[in-house]
Amino acid sequence: MGKRIFALAVKEFLAIFKDRKSRVVVVVPPLLQFLVFGYAATYDLKHVPYAVFNEDGGTESRDLLAEFEGSPTFRKVSVIDHEEQIAPLIEQRRVLMVLRVGQRFSSDLLLRRTAPLQVIVDGRNSNTAMLVLNYVKAIVGRFNDRWAGRGTGGEGPPAHLVT
């Protein structure tokens, strides 16, 4: 059965390549797509709208949030002060992500405990959501490296991302 299918495929390719117009149709569109998409398609995200729900007023939480504000990838569009404000922002597509810093973030870091950081991402476009999460992980990773460089190492990473 496999030999018959292979022979049929070879016969069809030979028929296509004998006709000059068919050769052009088979070869030119993929080359054009290769050139156009090679320059036009990008998976980089810039200016991702996000909101901040900072329940902790400590220096450490502000340092972490400053990393996001200084990043060209993210653009802060809202500051939230109640949990009920999260869902409408995401449902109305005003933000793609909400960063929630818990009440004990700074104190947990100072006590050398893992401090949770919650990231809520609009998952309607799963590829974009995964890219955003990877950017967030990179920023939190840099924050953890700097925090560990202060000589305050405890058990595990200082800031723990909860998705």
Side-chain angles (χ1 to χ4, degrees):
M1 178 80 170
K3 288 181 182 180
R4 289 182 184 175
I5 293 174
F6 182 73
L8 182 62
V10 168
K11 178 189 87 77
E12 291 299 323
F13 275 114
L14 289 174
I16 287 173
F17 285 114
K18 281 183 185 178
D19 181 26
R20 184 167 187 222
K21 290 181 184 177
S22 296
R23 266 185 277 168
V24 170
V25 169
V26 168
V27 174
V28 172
L31 285 175
L32 287 174
Q33 289 175 351
F34 177 72
L35 291 172
V36 169
F37 291 143
Y39 291 105
T42 179
Y43 294 107
D44 291 340
L45 293 177
K46 293 191 179 359
H47 310 297
V48 173
Y50 75 99
V52 172
F53 183 24
N54 188 4
E55 297 175 292
D56 178 54
T59 306
E60 289 73 18
S61 66
R62 288 193 308 265
D63 288 347
L64 176 63
L65 295 175
E67 294 286 328
F68 286 92
E69 289 180 31
S71 170
T73 305
F74 296 101
R75 179 177 48 93
K76 183 167 71 172
V77 296
S78 182
V79 176
I80 298 171
D81 51 9
H82 296 294
E83 187 173 344
E84 295 79 27
Q85 296 171 313
I86 295 173
L89 284 174
I90 291 178
E91 288 171 3
Q92 295 167 3
R93 297 183 185 228
R94 291 186 51 215
V95 298
L96 186 60
M97 171 184 81
V98 176
L99 287 172
R100 183 176 186 174
V101 182
Q103 295 174 346
R104 301 190 43 82
F105 185 83
S106 295
S107 62
D108 282 346
L109 285 178
L110 293 173
L111 293 172
R112 297 182 180 178
R113 292 191 295 223
T114 300
L117 170 70
Q118 184 180 29
V119 178
I120 304 166
V121 180
D122 184 353
R124 286 177 268 214
N125 184 338
S126 60
N127 291 333
T128 303
M130 289 307 295
L131 286 171
V132 167
L133 278 176
N134 287 333
Y135 284 130
V136 170
K137 286 178 184 177
I139 290 175
V140 171
R142 284 195 305 269
F143 175 81
N144 284 342
D145 291 343
R146 267 198 307 286
W147 186 260
R150 294 179 185 177
T152 58
E155 300 174 12
H160 175 67
L161 187 63
V162 179
T163 308

